[in-house]
Amino acid sequence: QKEVEQDPGPLSVPEGAIVSLNCTYSNSAFQYFMWYRQYSRKGPELLMYTYSSGNKEDGRFTAQVDKSSKYISLFIRDSQPSDSATYLCAMRAPSGGGADGLTFGKGTHLIIQP
Amino acid sequence: DTEVTQTPKHLVMGMTNKKSLKCEQHMGHRAMYWYKQKAKKPPELMFVYSYEKLSINESVPSRFSPECPNSSLLNLHLHALQPEDSALYLCASSYPGVSHEQFFGPGTRLTVL
């Protein structure tokens, strides 16, 4: 079983729809949960991060973490064609203040149809 | 300046060549990372530098040799690569205690012939 599972899609929705993206994970040590957006042939861009469980909202984006189910979600409201990209979830465990790499999901390719 | 820059954007090399990838940031970050990303796959961690010292090496073959000459620069030296090493090589940086906020560069797309 992979550490982080994410449906690669593609997920195609009409403009203005609410988009739901999800990841599941198996490592209970993960405490930091991130969502990155990656446009074609570009580097990933950090959208949001959440520490432990709970919700976090930033504009049209809402991130949710349910540690009991090992399940995280990203919701995009009022989706726009410019939101079309690959969305990667990423996670890491606490590292005692040191630097540590991230464990990524495969990424979901999202297409917003005008 | 909130940007991580990488050069070159594209690189084509033969299996006997020696080349280097360069990454630069001026955000005061003291942790820098190399990731490898193959098509339609997630980024995979290769190396982590913290305060200019190599802190993590994810069992990467020795034909990849990282170097961190100062707090703003990170290099990846390449030698005797294989065609399967063709990928997008991503550099990232962060504050060492804030690894969950990693800023990525645009990547170098490497093709090994």
Side-chain angles (χ1 to χ4, degrees):
Chain A
Q1 182 190 9
K2 290 190 194 311
E3 275 200 295
V4 181
E5 299 273 8
Q6 184 177 11
D7 185 340
L11 174 63
S12 184
V13 301
E15 183 176 356
I18 295 176
V19 175
S20 172
L21 304 167
N22 312 293
C23 288
T24 58
Y25 63 95
S26 56
N27 186 346
S28 56
F30 288 143
Q31 293 276 8
Y32 294 92
F33 304 93
M34 283 66 69
W35 286 96
Y36 282 83
R37 177 174 62 197
Q38 187 173 23
Y39 291 111
S40 181
R41 299 184 174 271
K42 301 285 187 186
E45 171 195 3
L46 179 63
L47 285 175
M48 301 179 72
Y49 82 87
T50 310
Y51 174 71
S52 194
S53 282
N55 294 358
K56 190 171 186 177
E57 189 172 319
D58 184 0
R60 296 186 295 114
F61 298 90
T62 299
Q64 286 186 353
V65 174
D66 181 350
K67 288 195 69 186
S68 62
S69 303
K70 297 192 177 69
Y71 186 88
I72 72 169
S73 302
L74 178 71
F75 298 95
I76 307 174
R77 289 182 298 282
D78 187 25
S79 55
Q80 306 293 312
S82 57
D83 295 328
S84 299
T86 295
Y87 289 79
L88 297 142
C89 62
M91 309 178 185
R92 78 165 186 91
S95 58
D100 202 358
L102 304 178
T103 301
F104 284 87
K106 268 190 175 180
T108 298
H109 181 43
L110 175 65
I111 301 166
I112 307 297
Q113 303 158 343
Chain B
D1 184 356
T2 58
E3 199 178 11
V4 176
T5 59
Q6 289 187 246
T7 53
K9 285 190 171 53
H10 302 275
L11 178 63
V12 179
M13 60 187 289
M15 289 191 283
T16 58
N17 292 157
K18 282 186 183 181
K19 296 285 185 184
S20 296
L21 310 184
K22 181 179 170 182
C23 172
E24 194 165 2
Q25 57 86 18
H26 295 287
M27 294 179 275
H29 291 165
R30 300 300 295 276
M32 296 186 78
Y33 311 78
W34 281 115
Y35 289 83
K36 173 182 176 180
Q37 186 178 26
K38 298 202 66 120
K40 299 193 187 301
K41 299 284 188 187
E44 292 181 347
L45 183 69
M46 300 175 73
F47 303 103
V48 179
Y49 273 83
S50 183
Y51 296 99
E52 296 86 69
K53 290 192 189 325
L54 183 65
S55 59
I56 297 177
N57 176 342
E58 291 286 356
S59 303
V60 178
S62 59
R63 57 186 185 267
F64 295 91
S65 175
E67 179 197 19
C68 189
N70 61 53
S71 59
S72 300
L73 279 177
L74 184 67
N75 299 319
L76 186 63
H77 303 298
L78 314 172
H79 174 53
L81 293 194
Q82 305 295 310
E84 59 264 29
D85 296 322
S86 298
L88 181 68
Y89 287 83
L90 293 163
C91 173
S93 70
S94 76
Y95 293 109
V98 194
S99 307
H100 48 278
E101 288 188 293
Q102 291 184 21
F103 292 81
F104 282 81
T108 292
R109 189 159 297 280
L110 174 68
T111 303
V112 182
L113 300 176

